[in-house]
Amino acid sequence: MLTVAVTGATGAQGGATARALLTAGHRVRALTRRTDSPAADALRALGADVRHADFDDPASLDAALAGADSLFAVTTPFGTGIATETRQGKALVDAAAAARLGHVVFTSAAHADRGTGVPHYESKHAIEQHLRAAGVPWTVIAPAAFMDNYAGGWTLDGLRDGTFAWPMPTDQPLTLIPAADIGAFAALVLQRRDEFAGRRIDIASDELTPAGIADALAAALGRPVAHREVPLDYVRSRSEDLAAMFDYFAAAGLDVDVAGLRRDYPEVGWHTFADWAAAQDWPALLS
């Protein structure tokens, strides 16, 4: 039985990882800045040890990591900025090294090591490089585009009008993964440290074009949905970072070996986009 500290435990990736580890019988320290949130209460109910931790408070990180076997590390630039994400990620890695943890699993982004020029990929790559040099056993898992993002924002706005509004060409393939599969794969990696230490792995569970995504959403909703390409200038007017990401998706693509992952790690229980879409409560989301 492992004792795993999980950052971002009240978020999508950290929460999925915490639940997968608890289901497998491991001890989970769910690290969060808000120990009184509903998400924290839900993790407590599942048996997690919820602890306060703040990336900008080294003492809180030291206390949260003391005596743990491993760490699942997730960072985000959204709401803070890439400079803050990089600083906080490096501080987390340094705390893990100081605690002499046996394994750090950092969740980055698919292709973040390829010089994409996407700001929030570059910040994750800087953290990856810091982790490699920290002297602690490490693994980087790098998810493709999140299926969960299609249950909010632009997607919901468009679906109310029968369109899937997305800033990519209709026939451009995109690899996708839900948070549940990221958590399941992270738990697998944490439980098989010797197999995965020192490796960086891009992960995805399906690949679809925007036209295919629209078809899957139509099947889940039970009514027609057509893809409409959102102009990149519209995205750029709201976020240069996201515009750079979609520009990369359209120009270079986001290829990940989906078939190989499904073959080599069937225990993850990879979900297709259709699986994910069918499981969503669309009437509530669209109300």
Side-chain angles (χ1 to χ4, degrees):
M1 182 185 293
L2 297 171
T3 297
V4 183
V6 178
T7 63
T10 56
Q13 295 188 70
T17 301
R19 290 188 292 273
L21 288 165
L22 288 166
T23 298
H26 298 287
R27 290 182 290 263
V28 169
R29 290 185 189 172
L31 309 188
T32 178
R33 288 180 299 174
R34 292 189 54 211
T35 58
D36 59 347
S37 69
D41 290 340
L43 287 172
R44 276 194 199 90
L46 294 174
D49 175 12
V50 178
R51 299 195 183 191
H52 176 264
D54 188 324
F55 291 167
D56 289 320
D57 179 0
S60 75
L61 291 178
D62 292 342
L65 297 180
D69 298 305
S70 307
L71 168 68
F72 174 79
V74 59
T75 60
T76 179
F78 301 112
T80 60
I82 60 171
T84 298
E85 178 188 23
T86 303
R87 186 189 73 248
Q88 291 180 339
K90 290 181 177 180
L92 180 59
V93 168
D94 290 343
R100 300 184 182 278
L101 297 190
H103 193 196
V104 175
V105 175
F106 174 61
T107 179
S108 179
H111 290 208
D113 60 338
R114 301 192 188 187
T116 64
V118 179
H120 74 276
Y121 284 25
E122 298 298 325
S123 56
K124 287 180 173 57
H125 187 229
I127 298 167
E128 290 184 36
Q129 291 175 307
H130 193 73
L131 176 59
R132 288 171 183 255
V136 62
W138 60 270
T139 306
V140 172
I141 64 172
F146 296 169
M147 293 183 190
D148 308 75
N149 287 344
Y150 294 84
W154 288 325
T155 302
L156 290 186
D157 292 342
L159 288 177
R160 294 185 180 97
D161 297 323
T163 61
F164 169 52
W166 206 244
M168 287 181 62
T170 294
D171 59 353
Q172 174 69 50
L174 180 67
T175 49
L176 304 154
I177 189 167
D181 290 3
I182 300 171
F185 190 77
L188 178 72
V189 169
L190 285 157
Q191 292 172 97
R192 288 157 56 175
R193 179 180 69 186
D194 291 347
E195 177 182 345
F196 288 100
R199 295 176 61 188
R200 186 191 191 282
I201 308 169
D202 285 348
I203 58 173
S205 51
D206 201 0
E207 182 176 43
L208 285 175
T209 64
I213 292 171
D215 289 343
L217 291 170
L221 270 66
R223 53 186 173 82
V225 175
H227 172 243
R228 176 172 62 83
E229 185 174 354
V230 175
L232 206 56
D233 284 345
Y234 176 87
V235 182
R236 189 171 291 110
S237 70
R238 284 150 180 79
S239 171
E240 289 284 354
D241 193 341
L242 291 180
M245 180 185 73
F246 283 114
D247 190 33
Y248 180 80
F249 287 174
L254 195 65
D255 62 297
V256 178
D257 186 6
V258 173
L261 288 163
R262 286 179 171 272
R263 179 191 66 239
D264 295 341
Y265 310 109
E267 56 270 70
V268 171
W270 307 97
H271 293 81
T272 65
F273 185 81
D275 294 334
W276 173 85
Q280 306 308 304
D281 186 353
W282 295 107
L285 289 169
L286 293 167
S287 64

